[in-house]
Amino acid sequence: KLGLAVFFAMNVMVFSMALWSGDVYAQELAAAGPLADALHQVFRYLALLFCLPVLVLLGEPLAEGVWQALRRGVITTDLLLLIGVSAAVAYSLRSVLAGAGQIYFDVASMILLFVTLGRWLEAQGRLRSGQALDALAKLLPGTVHVRRDGNVIDVPRESVAVGEMLRVFPGERLAVDGRIESGQ
């Protein structure tokens, strides 16, 4: 979904840049005549057309999350994002249909794209962190030497209680948190 949305959002940006060039090259476009005006309108409609898949692919999950949060009585920042994207699209749609005014389909598309990309990167980071913690947990020894009733016995790491004295031999890994009572 994200890759397809990137494709459509980048096309929206290309059409928007072509439309912005009219502000920079106003004299040249005025000399071009009615063909430039027709092309300008085509680019506006193409920006609308290419923005729609981005709204469906990335905006729908955002809207669903907002709806679920509102049903629970929770207001999240996703609501703010959804309002901003909706306002940009509504104003732009009105401008395209009226044939005049600025369009902001690029803003709506890029907000959705960057928010989704950021969340994907965050999920990837969490996944990698979880995998690293799992790998570290596998390094812990399964048994520890506990001092009970003057004897040192081996017990599973999970059965160690807070406050128990452990014996750690040279070269062994520490299986639990604690503080050194004697030795180094």
Side-chain angles (χ1 to χ4, degrees), residues 140-175:
L140 291 173
T143 60
V144 294
H145 314 292
V146 178
R147 202 179 280 177
R148 290 184 182 159
D149 300 325
N151 298 322
V152 176
I153 59 171
D154 289 345
V155 297
R157 181 186 69 228
E158 294 81 17
S159 67
V160 175
V162 175
E164 284 192 293
M165 295 285 288
L166 305 180
R167 170 86 169 137
V168 180
F169 293 104
E172 284 187 324
R173 291 189 200 113
L174 299 174

